[in-house]
Amino acid sequence: QYPDHTAALQYRARLLRDSGAAQAALADYLHLFRLQPEQDPGHYLAAAALTADTQQALSLLDARMATTGPIPQLQRKAIELEKRSGNYAAAMDRLATLDAATRATAAWHIEMAELLQLSGQPDLARPHLAIAREQLAAGRPTSARMALQQQLESLEAAPLAAN
């Protein structure tokens, strides 16, 4: 009865998604975005997850970020999609757009090092690994830091295994 009612479209898209009707849910999300592009980033993540087409998913995420600039959760998903499709340069470009506070973390340096290694540039990855190692050594041992430490160690061992 009200095909352009945004709250109804949001609800129906979630309902269709949860019931397994991915195409119908995606159609509702796309209609919602045409009506009101400034939707919650979570709706864009949900819509991107409904499409098997990586380029369409990236276009959805980029459309939302075009008006506001990088949104960390959308950019993270875009980085994951770029990485999965083997487009490491694009993933690194996206990673570099995250805010300065994020770029100063050990997790960011480890992710950048991984992308550099995947793109065949292990020499450029080493400084990022060194920075991450220093940062991890300076903090108290938490489960998150220990997971990052394991990731760091596997990345440091990867070039040696390739030789």
Side-chain angles (χ1 to χ4, degrees), residues 2-15:
Y2 300 99
D4 292 342
H5 190 269
T6 58
L9 282 168
Q10 290 172 9
Y11 181 76
R12 188 171 69 183
R14 285 193 306 270
L15 182 69

Side-chain angles (χ1 to χ4, degrees), residues 76 95-106 108-109 128 131 135:
R76 289 259 175 231
L95 191 60
T97 67
L98 296 175
D99 65 37
T102 301
R103 290 192 316 267
T105 65
W108 185 91
H109 285 285
H128 290 286
I131 292 168
Q135 290 176 338

Side-chain angles (χ1 to χ4, degrees), residues 27-95:
D28 275 357
Y29 277 122
L30 294 175
H31 185 72
L32 175 65
F33 302 154
R34 281 190 298 277
L35 293 172
Q36 197 175 55
E38 298 291 320
Q39 287 294 317
D40 180 89
H43 295 309
Y44 280 86
L45 288 173
L50 291 170
T51 179
D53 179 4
T54 300
Q55 286 309 311
Q56 183 182 18
L58 288 168
S59 293
L60 283 169
L61 301 173
D62 287 339
R64 176 63 173 95
M65 291 187 286
T67 58
T68 60
I71 298 170
Q73 62 264 42
L74 297 184
Q75 199 66 298
R76 289 259 175 231
K77 181 63 176 178
I79 291 165
E80 175 190 320
L81 291 169
E82 298 282 19
K83 182 178 165 186
R84 194 177 328 144
S85 66
N87 195 353
Y88 305 124
M92 286 185 280
D93 289 344
R94 289 178 181 280
L95 191 60

